[in-house]
Amino acid sequence: MKPGTPREAARCAGSAHRRGGAPRGSRASPPAPSPPPVPRRERREPSGLPRARYPHGAINVSCRRCLLSVGEPARPRHRHGHRQRAHRASPCGPRPPAARPSSPSPCPSAAAVVAIPVSLRGRRRRHPRVPPAAGAAMAFRCQRDSWARQFATRVVSCQAAELRPEGGGAPVRGFQVVLEDTILFPEGGGQPDDRGLIGEVPVLRVTRRGPEALHFVPAPLEPGAAVVLSLDWDRRFDHMQQHSGQHLITAIAEQMFGFKTTSWELGRQRSVIELDTPSMTAEQVEALERSVNEKIRERVPVTVRELAADDPEIETVRSRGLPDDHAGPVRVVDIEGVDSNMCCGTHVSNLSDLQVIKLLGTEKGKKNKTNLVFLAGNRVLKSIEQSHSTEKALTSLLKNGPGEHVEAVKRLQSSVKLLQKNNLNLLRDIAVLIARDFKSKPVRSQLFVLHRKEGDSEFMNIIANEIGAEDTLLFLTVGDEKEAGLFLLAGPVEAVENLGPRVAELLGGKGAGKRGRFQGKATKMSRRGEVQALLQEFIGHRSPEA
């Protein structure tokens, strides 16, 4: 801009007015004193933070999700003629308008904030709420600021509801609460939901229904009441690390080997990425792990931006496509120089927040695909801690160093196998001796009953084979005397077919049989006396003397 032009003069005059004097070298008379400003009552945002007023006539509306969900309007012009800049929301209060666009934002998932001219300050406006979809820029505070741990808001509605536990079981009665805004992320995009408190009431589940986040709580909340949300930060930060780690691994795997990601799962203990490849070598896994950790050490920024649904740049963004019910702008997560991906989840602001990524290896997946198992961030540290504790315990038990643990365990396994083989041989010898002792008696009983704590099905069948089942009814059991075990009923075919199911019922078990033998598992071995009485009664009715 050339000096002396009307625009430059206006800029200088404006600058001089802010300093309280005329521009240097100007002969203009001092400005007339301005009337004292009319005091205004300070208005507050729904978050509890004061509404930020900037010198150029804009106000910070970072907490108004209705404005954020309809996209950014045309920016109003500054009084000097140039367009003013919109400002990012900050949980710590307003920021000065000057900002370096190239530097990463401390809140990477913050959506663009609308700048509203001064003429709208005194009006209350209602804006339509556009329902977002997965991958779209939903209007939740948790997506605009992934690092916020507390948030002041209000209850919109509270309705009775039921929650089905993840592990199964009877439904839990409670209430679904809708808030004006939330820092608790509802499950979506492969990321589980957050946990936290609404005041002192625990939040057991968070789900999304259109533009609303439903908070399931065990106690009712009064609609219109002001509440403070508290986030379970350990759970959230773990999800941020795993989710951003998945983005990084997916991008590098495709760049290095052309392996595309078809799905992923953020598990409680580990996370799994499904790659569209039938196999992956150990060398490829090692190279991929080395590459992703190099990116972490380079401290690459991670940012979040919004694009219009018809923006041509969307074609360059990695995605599996938008949902059919998508509306509004598209939320894109960028890893600078590495990846751009549509995503609705919460993420770290810099790859250095991931700390480290460990690839645990691969597993065979479905439909000729490969599952890559990984840990990121604090999960790696916990895994090392657990492994170290296990190593210390093995060192104490095996009486040798960590480097000798594997060989020591192999030797123990060989010894156990040998002992088991010898024990089986002894049991066979014992079974033969028991059968021969019974057969050597001058007068045989029509019922033979035996219980042994040590034994198995083979032990019982050896006895039955040695004794024979032509005239004698055999009831054999092995296992605990009062709890679970195995049973075998052998004898005449007609008698076994009649008595077998009744014996299994008395022992609280199940079984099957054919050709004069009925065997199975029992859960109530303490009722063996009742079975013996049943068999005695059957033999008594069948005896010629009876």
Side-chain angles (χ1 to χ4, degrees):
M1 183 182 297
K2 297 181 180 181
T5 61
R7 189 171 180 180
E8 172 65 16
R11 187 187 67 80
C12 295
S15 301
H17 178 70
R18 287 192 296 271
R19 294 193 301 267
R24 185 178 299 177
S26 174
R27 297 181 180 180
S29 59
S34 57
V38 178
R40 295 184 180 182
R41 181 180 178 183
E42 183 180 58
R43 298 175 63 185
R44 290 183 172 268
E45 289 293 328
S47 64
L49 299 174
R51 173 178 286 213
R53 297 186 175 88
Y54 297 106
H56 48 61
I59 54 177
N60 187 337
V61 288
S62 61
C63 298
R64 298 209 171 174
R65 73 187 265 192
C66 55
L67 292 174
L68 289 170
S69 60
V70 297
E72 181 178 353
R75 297 177 180 172
R77 290 188 175 272
H78 195 276
R79 64 186 178 199
H80 297 311
H82 57 273
R83 290 184 182 273
Q84 67 186 50
R85 293 180 179 179
H87 297 271
R88 290 186 179 272
S90 171
C92 303
R95 293 185 180 180
R100 293 181 300 174
S102 60
S103 61
S105 167
C107 300
S109 58
V113 174
V114 183
I116 298 182
V118 179
S119 59
L120 298 181
R121 285 184 182 175
R123 304 180 187 177
R124 290 183 176 270
R125 298 172 63 89
R126 293 185 177 272
H127 297 266
R129 299 172 67 184
V130 179
M138 295 187 290
F140 300 138
R141 178 62 183 269
C142 57
Q143 295 173 303
R144 305 194 300 272
D145 182 3
S146 298
W147 302 87
R149 305 190 189 191
Q150 283 195 328
F151 180 62
T153 184
R154 289 186 179 275
V155 178
V156 175
S157 65
C158 179
Q159 296 181 346
E162 288 186 345
L163 173 66
R164 293 191 176 276
E166 294 179 351
V172 179
R173 294 184 179 274
F175 301 86
Q176 282 184 343
V177 174
V178 177
L179 305 173
E180 287 183 352
D181 206 343
T182 184
I183 57 172
L184 302 185
F185 178 76
E187 57 187 357
Q191 179 175 328
D193 56 337
D194 286 334
R195 296 289 185 270
L197 299 172
I198 303 179
E200 299 296 329
V201 180
V203 179
L204 306 180
R205 184 77 58 83
V206 188
T207 56
R208 185 177 70 87
R209 184 181 62 190
E212 297 176 334
L214 305 179
H215 306 72
F216 187 89
V217 294
L221 297 173
E222 185 67 25
V227 293
V228 176
L229 271 173
S230 300
L231 174 68
D232 181 346
W233 175 248
D234 290 341
R235 178 183 172 93
R236 157 67 70 78
F237 189 57
D238 173 59
H239 292 173
M240 290 166 61
Q241 287 184 320
Q242 309 314 309
H243 202 162
S244 297
Q246 176 266 318
H247 278 224
L248 177 61
I249 296 170
T250 290
I252 300 299
E254 186 170 351
Q255 291 173 10
M256 293 181 66
F257 311 114
F259 299 158
K260 294 184 179 296
T261 294
T262 52
S263 67
W264 85 290
E265 178 188 4
L266 200 166
R268 294 183 178 180
Q269 303 295 332
R270 63 179 195 167
S271 298
V272 179
I273 298 175
E274 185 184 68
L275 298 175
D276 191 9
T277 177
S279 63
M280 192 173 182
T281 65
E283 291 76 15
Q284 289 174 325
V285 173
E286 182 180 353
L288 178 59
E289 179 180 285
R290 185 167 55 250
S291 181
V292 297
N293 282 290
E294 285 175 357
K295 292 297 180 182
I296 292 174
R297 289 190 291 271
E298 291 173 7
R299 301 177 57 84
V300 178
V302 180
T303 56
V304 177
R305 58 196 171 103
E306 290 183 353
L307 298 176
D310 56 352
D311 194 320
E313 189 176 351
I314 290 182
E315 300 297 329
T316 65
V317 176
R318 182 169 55 84
S319 171
R320 294 196 297 270
L322 289 171
D324 296 335
D325 62 346
H326 171 79
V330 177
R331 190 170 183 266
V332 178
V333 177
D334 291 324
I335 303 177
E336 187 176 290
V338 178
D339 182 48
S340 292
N341 184 27
M342 296 182 193
C343 184
C344 66
T346 57
H347 291 271
V348 299
S349 58
N350 193 289
L351 289 186
S352 62
D353 295 323
L354 299 181
Q355 301 168 303
V356 66
I357 287 178
K358 178 61 183 174
L359 304 183
L360 299 180
T362 60
E363 300 172 352
K364 186 174 180 58
K366 299 178 180 179
K367 298 181 180 179
N368 206 30
K369 296 179 182 179
T370 299
N371 294 333
L372 180 63
V373 185
F374 76 95
L375 303 175
N378 290 334
R379 292 195 180 189
V380 179
L381 302 180
K382 291 179 180 179
S383 177
I384 293 175
E385 181 181 358
Q386 183 178 4
S387 297
H388 182 63
S389 299
T390 303
E391 185 179 275
K392 288 176 62 178
L394 287 174
T395 299
S396 176
L397 291 171
L398 300 175
K399 308 300 181 184
N400 55 16
E404 302 173 348
H405 287 172
V406 175
E407 291 300 324
V409 171
K410 287 181 179 180
R411 290 194 298 270
L412 288 174
Q413 286 180 331
S414 299
S415 299
V416 168
K417 289 180 180 179
L418 181 59
L419 291 173
Q420 288 176 339
K421 184 177 180 179
N422 292 337
N423 184 50
L424 182 60
N425 291 332
L426 290 174
L427 283 175
R428 288 173 177 170
D429 293 341
I430 293 172
V432 172
L433 291 174
I434 290 174
R436 288 179 179 178
D437 179 69
F438 176 77
K439 292 173 64 176
S440 65
K441 292 180 179 181
V443 179
R444 294 189 195 178
S445 172
Q446 295 184 10
L447 176 64
F448 179 76
V449 178
L450 175 70
H451 174 78
R452 187 178 180 87
K453 187 174 183 180
E454 300 84 7
D456 55 11
S457 296
E458 185 178 3
F459 172 78
M460 294 187 293
N461 279 286
I462 290 175
I463 296 177
N465 291 336
E466 288 290 330
I467 294 178
E470 298 175 359
D471 301 322
T472 306
L473 193 62
L474 287 76
F475 176 53
L476 310 176
T477 55
V478 294
D480 193 283
E481 294 183 358
K482 295 184 178 180
E483 296 181 2
L486 303 175
F487 72 92
L488 170 66
L489 182 67
V493 175
E494 184 179 352
V496 171
E497 290 179 353
N498 183 24
L499 296 171
R502 299 169 63 185
V503 171
E505 183 180 358
L506 282 174
L507 296 177
K510 295 181 179 180
K514 59 182 180 179
R515 298 177 183 176
R517 294 194 184 182
F518 190 97
Q519 57 187 347
K521 295 181 180 180
T523 60
K524 300 177 181 179
M525 296 294 284
S526 58
R527 303 183 68 178
R528 287 181 293 112
E530 299 180 36
V531 175
Q532 187 172 349
L534 172 67
L535 300 179
Q536 290 280 13
E537 182 182 358
F538 176 82
I539 292 174
H541 286 298
R542 192 184 64 173
S543 173
E545 292 81 1

